[in-house]
Amino acid sequence: MAASIYAWVYEDPFHSIYRASTATISVLSNGLLLYIIFTTASSAGIGSYRYLLAVFAVCDVVTSFAHAFLQPLVHLTDTGLYFFSHHSQIIIGGKSFATVFCLIFIATYYQTFLSLAYHFVFRLTTVTSGIARSCTSQWSTAHWTILAVVVNILYVARFMGVCLLAFTPSDATRSMAPPEMLELYGVDLRDSNSGFAVISVRDPTSGQMIVHARSVIALILLLSLFLGTGLVIVYCIWRISGVIRSADNDFTTRTRKMQTDLFHAILIQVDFPVLFSYLPLATILLFPVVSGIPLGAFGNVLFSITAISPCVDAFFVLFFIGRFRLAVIRLFRLPFDHHVSST
């Protein structure tokens, strides 16, 4: 079988250079954001929100390193998809840890969606403080932190549990692995020592959709988590926009400007995950199942796109938050209009 026209995406030298580049940019950009947050006076103007920004920056770095060292290969078949590690050759104690590597990557990758939703919840509670009454009005930072940790644990545990129960290898999914995958990637998923994650709900011989209850339920659970974080974000955007623009609040001009800057920053932050994470991942999960069209190695192109978002998020935070932007200008002694920046 001829090599895939997308082979350059997942083969060296491009793949290694791409992974190293995105990880390096992520460390530099998020490292700069962390430095600005904790070492300049500009951070004092946004209170405890700086800690959430710091957590998000750290999550982005962790995700970028997961892409660099654990990013799996993705092959889209007419039965679903196969998600397997570059490190399938690593055998410890006579067993392959390829499936474990896939699950570790999943745990770090999906974390960013929940972290992004936290941003919007925090901004909503901030702009509505003293304006709208709710059961959380008297909550302290400790209450919110405990809730965030609990939700995070449950969120990641649900992802991991779903993948462990429904998407780990079985004799049936091994036998359905397309034979061309050995030639394309040099990995024989039919070998009992090979590890991977798989979604397969279509009969490869008849082409008819068959209902594998476990796979279908698991896929619905995964999509519900995406939809849940998406709905939280949309609701918060609607509420925050209404409050900031309302003439009924008592925001000073300076406070309104700061809240608007922060709001614009997280709007940009959500645009990039939508374009470079949500859409590619939704295509990977749904297109083969719905259409029955095998996109093959193109899945690696889609998945490689998802490495872009965590390495550029910090740039938009640094740009759209005026005090952070001024701190960067002063740090690197860039030319700027002192009067405009001071204003």
Side-chain angles (χ1 to χ4, degrees):
M1 177 181 177
S4 165
I5 60 174
Y6 312 113
W8 60 275
V9 174
Y10 56 84
E11 291 181 350
D12 290 333
F14 175 83
H15 189 65
S16 293
I17 295 173
Y18 179 76
R19 290 185 298 164
S21 298
T22 53
T24 301
I25 294 172
S26 181
V27 170
L28 293 176
S29 63
N30 288 289
L32 176 60
L33 176 57
L34 290 170
Y35 179 82
I36 295 298
I37 289 172
F38 292 112
T39 64
T40 71
S42 62
S43 62
I46 60 173
S48 58
Y49 184 51
R50 66 185 184 273
Y51 298 116
L52 185 55
L53 286 173
V55 170
F56 191 72
V58 172
C59 285
D60 274 345
V61 172
V62 171
T63 301
S64 293
F65 272 100
H67 274 282
F69 297 104
L70 299 175
Q71 180 177 319
L73 293 162
V74 182
H75 192 83
L76 305 181
T77 72
D78 56 355
T79 68
L81 66 91
Y82 283 82
F83 191 73
F84 52 101
S85 174
H86 280 277
H87 308 291
S88 58
Q89 73 280 6
I90 298 179
I91 306 295
I92 302 177
K95 294 183 179 181
S96 170
F97 275 68
T99 300
V100 175
F101 293 145
C102 287
L103 295 176
I104 293 174
F105 180 85
I106 289 170
T108 58
Y109 178 79
Y110 294 116
Q111 171 67 47
T112 56
F113 298 134
L114 187 60
S115 299
L116 188 60
Y118 285 163
H119 277 276
F120 285 91
V121 172
F122 187 97
R123 291 261 51 82
L124 177 60
T125 59
T126 301
V127 299
T128 58
S129 178
I131 299 175
R133 303 294 299 174
S134 73
C135 62
T136 63
S137 297
Q138 303 302 318
W139 281 20
S140 65
T141 301
H143 290 108
W144 285 108
T145 301
I146 293 171
L147 177 62
V149 170
V150 171
V151 171
N152 188 82
I153 292 173
L154 294 177
Y155 186 89
V156 174
R158 183 172 176 179
F159 261 112
M160 298 294 287
V162 168
C163 293
L164 280 170
L165 292 174
F167 301 144
T168 49
S170 67
D171 292 339
T173 52
R174 286 190 189 282
S175 65
M176 292 191 296
E180 70 268 14
M181 293 175 67
L182 176 59
E183 186 172 349
L184 287 174
Y185 310 107
V187 177
D188 184 9
L189 297 189
R190 300 190 178 197
D191 186 337
S192 59
N193 286 324
S194 296
F196 54 87
V198 58
I199 299 176
S200 183
V201 296
R202 189 181 297 272
D203 187 339
T205 56
S206 65
Q208 299 297 316
M209 183 70 74
I210 56 176
V211 179
H212 290 153
R214 189 177 64 172
S215 296
V216 173
I217 292 173
L219 187 58
I220 291 174
L221 289 174
L222 289 184
L223 294 175
S224 69
L225 291 175
F226 286 121
L227 182 61
T229 55
L231 290 176
V232 168
I233 289 171
V234 170
Y235 172 77
C236 290
I237 289 174
W238 171 67
R239 290 282 284 117
I240 293 170
S241 178
V243 172
I244 291 177
R245 295 178 181 180
S246 175
D248 297 332
N249 58 58
D250 57 354
F251 289 162
T252 63
T253 301
R254 184 176 184 180
T255 299
R256 192 185 302 274
K257 176 64 167 61
M258 183 184 69
Q259 294 293 354
T260 301
D261 286 346
L262 292 170
F263 184 47
H264 288 167
I266 59 175
L267 284 179
I268 295 298
Q269 277 185 282
V270 78
D271 286 342
F272 264 75
V274 166
L275 291 175
F276 296 105
S277 289
Y278 277 89
L279 291 180
L281 188 61
T283 302
I284 289 171
L285 291 176
L286 293 177
F287 187 86
V289 174
V290 174
S291 69
I293 299 174
L295 295 181
F298 186 68
N300 296 294
V301 178
L302 293 171
F303 208 73
S304 292
I305 292 173
T306 65
I308 296 175
S309 180
C311 70
V312 299
D313 280 337
F315 290 123
F316 293 98
V317 177
L318 291 168
F319 179 80
F320 279 95
I321 298 179
R323 297 181 183 185
F324 285 9
R325 182 170 65 248
L326 182 58
V328 172
I329 290 172
R330 288 174 174 170
L331 177 64
F332 292 101
R333 299 181 180 181
L334 302 174
F336 67 100
D337 187 324
H338 178 76
H339 172 75
V340 173
S341 295
S342 297
T343 302

PDB file of all heavy atoms in Angstrom, residues 54-73:
ATOM      1  N   ALA A  54      -3.087  31.505  36.572  1.00  0.00           N
ATOM      2  CA  ALA A  54      -1.864  30.725  36.756  1.00  0.00           C
ATOM      3  C   ALA A  54      -2.131  29.230  36.583  1.00  0.00           C
ATOM      4  O   ALA A  54      -1.349  28.509  35.946  1.00  0.00           O
ATOM      5  CB  ALA A  54      -1.274  31.006  38.134  1.00  0.00           C
ATOM      6  N   VAL A  55      -3.232  28.748  37.145  1.00  0.00           N
ATOM      7  CA  VAL A  55      -3.598  27.337  36.999  1.00  0.00           C
ATOM      8  C   VAL A  55      -3.816  26.994  35.535  1.00  0.00           C
ATOM      9  O   VAL A  55      -3.373  25.943  35.051  1.00  0.00           O
ATOM     10  CB  VAL A  55      -4.866  27.024  37.824  1.00  0.00           C
ATOM     11  CG1 VAL A  55      -5.397  25.629  37.484  1.00  0.00           C
ATOM     12  CG2 VAL A  55      -4.568  27.109  39.311  1.00  0.00           C
ATOM     13  N   PHE A  56      -4.497  27.887  34.809  1.00  0.00           N
ATOM     14  CA  PHE A  56      -4.750  27.646  33.396  1.00  0.00           C
ATOM     15  C   PHE A  56      -3.439  27.588  32.611  1.00  0.00           C
ATOM     16  O   PHE A  56      -3.267  26.761  31.711  1.00  0.00           O
ATOM     17  CB  PHE A  56      -5.656  28.741  32.836  1.00  0.00           C
ATOM     18  CG  PHE A  56      -6.190  28.450  31.461  1.00  0.00           C
ATOM     19  CD1 PHE A  56      -7.160  27.494  31.266  1.00  0.00           C
ATOM     20  CD2 PHE A  56      -5.704  29.148  30.361  1.00  0.00           C
ATOM     21  CE1 PHE A  56      -7.659  27.217  30.005  1.00  0.00           C
ATOM     22  CE2 PHE A  56      -6.201  28.880  29.088  1.00  0.00           C
ATOM     23  CZ  PHE A  56      -7.179  27.915  28.913  1.00  0.00           C
ATOM     24  N   ALA A  57      -2.493  28.478  32.950  1.00  0.00           N
ATOM     25  CA  ALA A  57      -1.191  28.484  32.282  1.00  0.00           C
ATOM     26  C   ALA A  57      -0.448  27.177  32.533  1.00  0.00           C
ATOM     27  O   ALA A  57       0.155  26.598  31.622  1.00  0.00           O
ATOM     28  CB  ALA A  57      -0.364  29.680  32.763  1.00  0.00           C
ATOM     29  N   VAL A  58      -0.476  26.711  33.780  1.00  0.00           N
ATOM     30  CA  VAL A  58       0.191  25.439  34.110  1.00  0.00           C
ATOM     31  C   VAL A  58      -0.467  24.279  33.359  1.00  0.00           C
ATOM     32  O   VAL A  58       0.228  23.392  32.831  1.00  0.00           O
ATOM     33  CB  VAL A  58       0.148  25.193  35.632  1.00  0.00           C
ATOM     34  CG1 VAL A  58       0.653  23.795  35.962  1.00  0.00           C
ATOM     35  CG2 VAL A  58       0.979  26.236  36.366  1.00  0.00           C
ATOM     36  N   CYS A  59      -1.807  24.282  33.286  1.00  0.00           N
ATOM     37  CA  CYS A  59      -2.515  23.232  32.543  1.00  0.00           C
ATOM     38  C   CYS A  59      -2.115  23.233  31.076  1.00  0.00           C
ATOM     39  O   CYS A  59      -1.956  22.173  30.459  1.00  0.00           O
ATOM     40  CB  CYS A  59      -4.025  23.422  32.671  1.00  0.00           C
ATOM     41  SG  CYS A  59      -4.702  22.936  34.267  1.00  0.00           S
ATOM     42  N   ASP A  60      -1.947  24.428  30.500  1.00  0.00           N
ATOM     43  CA  ASP A  60      -1.531  24.523  29.103  1.00  0.00           C
ATOM     44  C   ASP A  60      -0.142  23.920  28.900  1.00  0.00           C
ATOM     45  O   ASP A  60       0.111  23.225  27.902  1.00  0.00           O
ATOM     46  CB  ASP A  60      -1.531  25.986  28.644  1.00  0.00           C
ATOM     47  CG  ASP A  60      -2.895  26.448  28.154  1.00  0.00           C
ATOM     48  OD1 ASP A  60      -3.754  25.571  27.906  1.00  0.00           O
ATOM     49  OD2 ASP A  60      -3.105  27.659  28.000  1.00  0.00           O
ATOM     50  N   VAL A  61       0.761  24.194  29.844  1.00  0.00           N
ATOM     51  CA  VAL A  61       2.113  23.635  29.743  1.00  0.00           C
ATOM     52  C   VAL A  61       2.071  22.114  29.830  1.00  0.00           C
ATOM     53  O   VAL A  61       2.729  21.404  29.044  1.00  0.00           O
ATOM     54  CB  VAL A  61       3.027  24.222  30.842  1.00  0.00           C
ATOM     55  CG1 VAL A  61       4.377  23.495  30.847  1.00  0.00           C
ATOM     56  CG2 VAL A  61       3.242  25.714  30.619  1.00  0.00           C
ATOM     57  N   VAL A  62       1.300  21.603  30.787  1.00  0.00           N
ATOM     58  CA  VAL A  62       1.185  20.148  30.952  1.00  0.00           C
ATOM     59  C   VAL A  62       0.604  19.523  29.690  1.00  0.00           C
ATOM     60  O   VAL A  62       1.075  18.477  29.211  1.00  0.00           O
ATOM     61  CB  VAL A  62       0.304  19.817  32.168  1.00  0.00           C
ATOM     62  CG1 VAL A  62       0.001  18.320  32.219  1.00  0.00           C
ATOM     63  CG2 VAL A  62       0.998  20.249  33.452  1.00  0.00           C
ATOM     64  N   THR A  63      -0.426  20.154  29.120  1.00  0.00           N
ATOM     65  CA  THR A  63      -1.038  19.635  27.892  1.00  0.00           C
ATOM     66  C   THR A  63      -0.042  19.633  26.746  1.00  0.00           C
ATOM     67  O   THR A  63       0.022  18.680  25.956  1.00  0.00           O
ATOM     68  CB  THR A  63      -2.266  20.474  27.517  1.00  0.00           C
ATOM     69  OG1 THR A  63      -3.211  20.443  28.586  1.00  0.00           O
ATOM     70  CG2 THR A  63      -2.930  19.930  26.257  1.00  0.00           C
ATOM     71  N   SER A  64       0.759  20.702  26.632  1.00  0.00           N
ATOM     72  CA  SER A  64       1.753  20.773  25.556  1.00  0.00           C
ATOM     73  C   SER A  64       2.813  19.696  25.710  1.00  0.00           C
ATOM     74  O   SER A  64       3.259  19.095  24.723  1.00  0.00           O
ATOM     75  CB  SER A  64       2.399  22.167  25.526  1.00  0.00           C
ATOM     76  OG  SER A  64       1.467  23.149  25.137  1.00  0.00           O
ATOM     77  N   PHE A  65       3.229  19.435  26.954  1.00  0.00           N
ATOM     78  CA  PHE A  65       4.205  18.359  27.172  1.00  0.00           C
ATOM     79  C   PHE A  65       3.585  16.996  26.871  1.00  0.00           C
ATOM     80  O   PHE A  65       4.275  16.097  26.365  1.00  0.00           O
ATOM     81  CB  PHE A  65       4.732  18.406  28.599  1.00  0.00           C
ATOM     82  CG  PHE A  65       5.924  19.295  28.773  1.00  0.00           C
ATOM     83  CD1 PHE A  65       5.788  20.569  29.298  1.00  0.00           C
ATOM     84  CD2 PHE A  65       7.181  18.876  28.382  1.00  0.00           C
ATOM     85  CE1 PHE A  65       6.889  21.404  29.440  1.00  0.00           C
ATOM     86  CE2 PHE A  65       8.296  19.699  28.523  1.00  0.00           C
ATOM     87  CZ  PHE A  65       8.147  20.972  29.054  1.00  0.00           C
ATOM     88  N   ALA A  66       2.298  16.844  27.166  1.00  0.00           N
ATOM     89  CA  ALA A  66       1.632  15.587  26.823  1.00  0.00           C
ATOM     90  C   ALA A  66       1.596  15.409  25.310  1.00  0.00           C
ATOM     91  O   ALA A  66       1.792  14.292  24.796  1.00  0.00           O
ATOM     92  CB  ALA A  66       0.210  15.587  27.392  1.00  0.00           C
ATOM     93  N   HIS A  67       1.345  16.496  24.583  1.00  0.00           N
ATOM     94  CA  HIS A  67       1.398  16.426  23.122  1.00  0.00           C
ATOM     95  C   HIS A  67       2.809  16.063  22.649  1.00  0.00           C
ATOM     96  O   HIS A  67       2.982  15.286  21.704  1.00  0.00           O
ATOM     97  CB  HIS A  67       0.999  17.772  22.513  1.00  0.00           C
ATOM     98  CG  HIS A  67      -0.475  17.944  22.321  1.00  0.00           C
ATOM     99  ND1 HIS A  67      -1.167  17.354  21.275  1.00  0.00           N
ATOM    100  CD2 HIS A  67      -1.394  18.639  23.025  1.00  0.00           C
ATOM    101  CE1 HIS A  67      -2.443  17.676  21.361  1.00  0.00           C
ATOM    102  NE2 HIS A  67      -2.611  18.446  22.402  1.00  0.00           N
ATOM    103  N   ALA A  68       3.813  16.638  23.296  1.00  0.00           N
ATOM    104  CA  ALA A  68       5.189  16.422  22.863  1.00  0.00           C
ATOM    105  C   ALA A  68       5.659  14.989  23.088  1.00  0.00           C
ATOM    106  O   ALA A  68       6.371  14.420  22.251  1.00  0.00           O
ATOM    107  CB  ALA A  68       6.121  17.394  23.586  1.00  0.00           C
ATOM    108  N   PHE A  69       5.250  14.397  24.214  1.00  0.00           N
ATOM    109  CA  PHE A  69       5.784  13.083  24.573  1.00  0.00           C
ATOM    110  C   PHE A  69       4.791  11.933  24.417  1.00  0.00           C
ATOM    111  O   PHE A  69       5.206  10.775  24.297  1.00  0.00           O
ATOM    112  CB  PHE A  69       6.306  13.113  26.009  1.00  0.00           C
ATOM    113  CG  PHE A  69       7.457  14.052  26.222  1.00  0.00           C
ATOM    114  CD1 PHE A  69       7.275  15.276  26.852  1.00  0.00           C
ATOM    115  CD2 PHE A  69       8.717  13.720  25.770  1.00  0.00           C
ATOM    116  CE1 PHE A  69       8.328  16.152  27.038  1.00  0.00           C
ATOM    117  CE2 PHE A  69       9.791  14.589  25.954  1.00  0.00           C
ATOM    118  CZ  PHE A  69       9.590  15.814  26.578  1.00  0.00           C
ATOM    119  N   LEU A  70       3.487  12.245  24.445  1.00  0.00           N
ATOM    120  CA  LEU A  70       2.497  11.170  24.451  1.00  0.00           C
ATOM    121  C   LEU A  70       1.460  11.280  23.340  1.00  0.00           C
ATOM    122  O   LEU A  70       0.554  10.449  23.289  1.00  0.00           O
ATOM    123  CB  LEU A  70       1.751  11.152  25.805  1.00  0.00           C
ATOM    124  CG  LEU A  70       2.596  10.904  27.056  1.00  0.00           C
ATOM    125  CD1 LEU A  70       1.726  11.034  28.297  1.00  0.00           C
ATOM    126  CD2 LEU A  70       3.249   9.534  27.000  1.00  0.00           C
ATOM    127  N   GLN A  71       1.551  12.316  22.482  1.00  0.00           N
ATOM    128  CA  GLN A  71       0.510  12.507  21.479  1.00  0.00           C
ATOM    129  C   GLN A  71       0.307  11.239  20.649  1.00  0.00           C
ATOM    130  O   GLN A  71       1.216  10.765  19.981  1.00  0.00           O
ATOM    131  CB  GLN A  71       0.850  13.659  20.539  1.00  0.00           C
ATOM    132  CG  GLN A  71      -0.223  13.880  19.472  1.00  0.00           C
ATOM    133  CD  GLN A  71       0.075  15.077  18.585  1.00  0.00           C
ATOM    134  OE1 GLN A  71       0.511  16.102  19.060  1.00  0.00           O
ATOM    135  NE2 GLN A  71      -0.159  14.932  17.290  1.00  0.00           N
ATOM    136  N   PRO A  72      -0.888  10.671  20.692  1.00  0.00           N
ATOM    137  CA  PRO A  72      -1.144   9.411  19.992  1.00  0.00           C
ATOM    138  C   PRO A  72      -1.331   9.621  18.495  1.00  0.00           C
ATOM    139  O   PRO A  72      -1.527  10.733  17.997  1.00  0.00           O
ATOM    140  CB  PRO A  72      -2.451   8.913  20.630  1.00  0.00           C
ATOM    141  CG  PRO A  72      -2.670   9.775  21.830  1.00  0.00           C
ATOM    142  CD  PRO A  72      -2.018  11.081  21.518  1.00  0.00           C
ATOM    143  N   LEU A  73      -1.260   8.532  17.783  1.00  0.00           N
ATOM    144  CA  LEU A  73      -1.653   8.502  16.381  1.00  0.00           C
ATOM    145  C   LEU A  73      -3.154   8.238  16.323  1.00  0.00           C
ATOM    146  O   LEU A  73      -3.708   7.561  17.185  1.00  0.00           O
ATOM    147  CB  LEU A  73      -0.893   7.401  15.651  1.00  0.00           C
ATOM    148  CG  LEU A  73       0.630   7.618  15.527  1.00  0.00           C
ATOM    149  CD1 LEU A  73       1.318   6.301  15.203  1.00  0.00           C
ATOM    150  CD2 LEU A  73       0.941   8.661  14.466  1.00  0.00           C
TER     151      LEU A  73
END
